Amino acid sequence: MTLKNDLLKELESNRQQAISGQKLAEKFGVSRNAIWKAITALREDGYEISSRTNSGYQLAGDCNILSPAAVRSYLPAELASIAIFSYKEIDSTNTEAKRLVNEGLNETALILAESQSSGRGRQGRSFFSPRGSSVYLSIVFHPKSGLSEAVSTTTMAAVAVAETIEELTAEHTEIKWVNDVFYRGKKICGILTEAVTDFESGTVASVIVGIGINIGTDFPPELSDIASCLSPEQVNRNQLIATVSSRLLKMANAPQDKAYLQSYRTHSLVLGKKVNYFQNGTSYSGTAIDIDDAGGLIIRLADGSTSTLHSGEISLRLAE
Ligand code: BTN
């Protein structure tokens, strides 16, 4: 890591107080002049860093620049050396993750972007991904498990996002089956999980969990009724990325621990509600009654029978 990155990490972890040039120089074993030069370079990158003669350097409270060093400063020790790739603009962080896996990436990694020119959503839809303050993140890991275990990752990711937003903003979130996170009654986050399979062993070689969280988004008219966002003042996006990633990776590393399912049920926007869905070209209506241990949605139909959905989409039925 360069001095600039070390310094940024230190300033990120000490946003509440200024640190003197002397202390920083001692910590990194360099001269105060080297610290001053690194601070100048960070300012040139757009970081707003105040400096006061008697107290030292401090990162502005509202500085929200996306940076691997800043994300790293919020990661727990066991993820401190995780690979992080960050782009100003990319077609899609999920597509980039696939390219990296195909080129041999075999460690856990985060791929971040300020904007996406071809952000991808579920069912072949596009995902609105303008430059600004939003989060476009792909988390890549290599579970060597079967497909059914990997499918649970999508449920875990929804829980990781819902819990993180609540932890960092103290605002309530909900999850619409299967993995849309809602805030103030509208969708704030979409999740697209993709798997790279190893045909020889029949296992999932890599899982790519793509997460888009709207922050300070200026939505076009067709999205403004259905999408919501946090404001950039509510959350530090580097901290948001680190917290979502560490929560998800913790759950994915212990798939036998099903505690996340209880959190999923508690956050569910659909349990107890009337829903519609399509299966093999036929439309069905029923009441969502539970989430099973594989993340499937159990629906009671009008004739009293139950059906469990493992994929696809549902829509909520308006009161009749
Ligand atoms: C959906 O709601 O349909 C899923 C949207 C997933 C969007 C994220 S943004 C980061 C990652 N890269 C993509 O191209 N898509 C996912």
Side-chain angles (χ1 to χ4, degrees):
M1 236 199 217
T2 63
L3 177 60
K4 201 169 106 180
N5 280 345
D6 285 339
L7 201 54
L8 180 57
K9 196 169 163 211
E10 192 64 17
L11 293 172
E12 271 290 349
S13 328
N14 291 280
R15 274 189 188 239
Q16 313 307 329
Q17 78 221 38
I19 323 172
S20 72
Q22 183 60 39
K23 263 201 182 149
L24 290 167
E26 279 165 19
K27 175 156 184 126
F28 297 118
V30 297
S31 67
R32 285 178 61 177
N33 191 41
I35 294 292
W36 179 79
K37 277 191 181 157
I39 293 277
T40 306
L42 284 171
R43 285 180 175 145
E44 280 167 9
D45 287 350
Y47 290 93
E48 204 184 310
I49 300 166
S50 62
S51 57
R52 277 178 223 94
T53 322
N54 292 324
S55 47
Y57 300 108
Q58 187 172 10
L59 196 58
D62 58 358
C63 177
N64 213 0
I65 294 179
L66 189 65
S67 103
V71 170
R72 225 179 268 289
S73 74
Y74 292 106
L75 285 171
E78 65 273 19
L79 296 177
S81 55
I82 194 176
I84 304 180
F85 301 84
S86 180
Y87 304 90
K88 286 243 174 300
E89 173 161 301
I90 193 107
D91 47 358
S92 146
T93 55
N94 267 33
T95 307
E96 174 65 3
K98 273 193 202 162
R99 281 191 290 261
L100 289 167
V101 167
N102 288 336
E103 284 161 14
L105 176 76
N106 58 7
E107 57 184 310
T108 304
L110 308 183
I111 293 110
L112 329 171
E114 293 273 5
S115 65
Q116 301 183 115
S117 55
S118 307
R120 296 191 286 113
R122 296 177 67 229
Q123 319 246 344
R125 290 187 289 254
S126 61
F127 187 76
F128 184 60
S129 313
R131 173 180 293 278
S133 316
S134 290
V135 163
Y136 311 114
L137 158 73
S138 295
I139 303 169
V140 186
F141 57 97
H142 313 275
K144 310 268 182 297
S145 63
L147 193 58
S148 60
E149 266 188 25
V151 167
S152 306
T153 313
T154 225
T155 310
M156 294 172 181
V159 171
V161 172
E163 288 182 346
T164 299
I165 294 178
E166 291 185 352
E167 178 193 329
L168 301 185
T169 67
E171 297 275 359
H172 182 59
T173 58
E174 294 172 295
I175 302 172
K176 176 170 173 273
W177 190 87
V178 55
N179 58 8
D180 287 339
V181 180
F182 273 54
Y183 166 64
R184 298 194 173 166
K186 299 178 189 178
K187 176 167 161 175
I188 190 170
C189 166
I191 298 170
L192 175 66
T193 305
E194 299 181 291
V196 178
T197 47
D198 177 345
F199 279 112
E200 272 181 31
S201 62
T203 57
V204 172
S206 310
V207 172
I208 299 165
V209 184
I211 299 174
I213 306 174
N214 304 323
I215 305 175
T217 315
D218 198 2
F219 294 111
E222 67 274 19
L223 291 181
S224 55
D225 282 348
I226 54 171
S228 64
C229 60
L230 292 171
S231 75
E233 294 72 39
Q234 273 178 292
V235 71
N236 174 323
R237 64 175 160 165
N238 296 302
Q239 186 178 17
L240 183 67
I241 289 167
T243 313
V244 166
S245 305
S246 58
R247 273 185 191 273
L248 172 61
L249 290 168
K250 200 169 164 205
M251 289 182 234
N253 281 333
Q256 68 289 349
D257 179 355
K258 303 283 181 196
Y260 70 90
L261 280 169
Q262 200 40 45
S263 179
Y264 187 96
R265 291 183 186 107
T266 313
H267 284 93
S268 175
L269 177 68
V270 303
L271 290 185
K273 303 243 173 76
K274 298 216 153 108
V275 297
N276 291 335
Y277 62 97
F278 274 94
Q279 215 165 35
N280 303 325
T282 308
S283 155
Y284 295 89
S285 304
T287 305
I289 55 169
D290 204 358
I291 307 287
D292 72 12
D293 280 0
L297 182 66
I298 306 177
I299 296 175
R300 184 181 299 118
L301 302 169
D303 64 4
S305 65
T306 59
S307 174
T308 304
L309 299 185
H310 291 287
S311 60
E313 296 204 340
I314 53 160
S315 57
L316 288 170
R317 250 161 71 194
L318 299 172
E320 292 158 353

